[in-house]
Amino acid sequence: AQSKTSTPVASNPVVSALRQMEERQSKNLIAAAEEMPADKYSYRPTPQQMSFAHLVMHVTESNNSLCPLIAGEQERELKLSESDSKEMLTKTLKDSFAYCEQVLAKADDTDLGQPVPLAGGRTGTRAAALIHLASGWADHYSAAAMYLRLNNLLPPSAKKPEGK
């Protein structure tokens, strides 16, 4: 039993850490999607790499598949295409992060060992889904920042706060 003095962070250190990561990563990923001009959504650094639109779409799809696993819900399926407009892709990205925020607000560390189905027919735990989510955000923001810089745009995390 938890004492009445325990804080949510102390009693749920894993989920609390992910909530903090989500707050920063969602801001950066959404701001990167907004920063890239619509006519550059088809940009890809090399023919082998995904387009910027595909990158935004992939983050949305990851959020919509991993956050339901954490919540114990069915995957949220959206039919997205890298030819969808910047507005559509940015809106679905924002919606996917809003959903993840709702999931994480209700989540706690007590069921992190519960098995869940992961990509590729594998089985993992809810903890693995949390780790995949956080590592994916970092990986995808890194790619988005490079795509922006290759187009002479400053990534959101490199910008100085207003008034400083």
Side-chain angles (χ1 to χ4, degrees):
Q2 294 178 343
S3 73
K4 293 186 188 242
T5 59
S6 69
T7 64
V9 171
S11 60
N12 295 298
V14 176
V15 172
S16 295
L18 194 76
R19 282 185 199 119
Q20 291 171 346
M21 289 176 190
E22 188 279 335
E23 186 177 328
R24 181 171 190 270
Q25 294 289 11
S26 67
K27 284 179 187 169
N28 282 335
L29 282 159
I30 290 167
E34 291 172 337
E35 180 72 21
M36 185 65 89
D39 66 337
K40 296 286 188 176
Y41 262 58
S42 61
Y43 173 77
R44 60 181 76 228
T46 68
Q48 295 79 20
Q49 289 176 279
M50 65 176 73
S51 68
F52 188 82
H54 189 98
L55 180 65
V56 173
M57 184 179 79
H58 181 67
V59 175
T60 301
E61 290 171 343
S62 293
N63 287 350
N64 284 337
S65 64
L66 291 170
C67 287
L69 293 178
I70 295 162
E73 298 173 358
Q74 291 291 344
E75 182 175 340
R76 295 165 40 117
E77 289 192 44
L78 282 176
K79 296 297 180 208
L80 296 174
S81 167
E82 56 185 297
S83 63
D84 288 339
S85 70
K86 171 184 175 174
E87 292 73 26
M88 166 78 144
L89 292 172
T90 303
K91 181 189 180 319
T92 58
L93 178 67
K94 288 177 184 177
D95 291 348
S96 74
F97 275 113
Y99 172 70
C100 285
E101 285 175 21
Q102 291 173 355
V103 166
L104 295 173
K106 298 175 193 166
D108 61 40
D109 288 6
T110 58
D111 58 359
L112 293 179
Q114 183 175 9
V116 295
L118 297 175
R122 297 174 296 133
T123 299
T125 61
R126 283 199 171 142
L130 286 171
I131 292 166
H132 285 295
L133 198 58
S135 65
W137 292 332
D139 177 40
H140 299 113
Y141 180 67
S142 172
M146 285 187 274
Y147 282 38
L148 288 168
R149 286 194 183 272
L150 287 167
N151 282 280
N152 297 313
L153 298 165
L154 201 56
S157 58
K159 293 182 179 182
K160 295 201 183 322
E162 302 259 336
K164 297 218 176 187

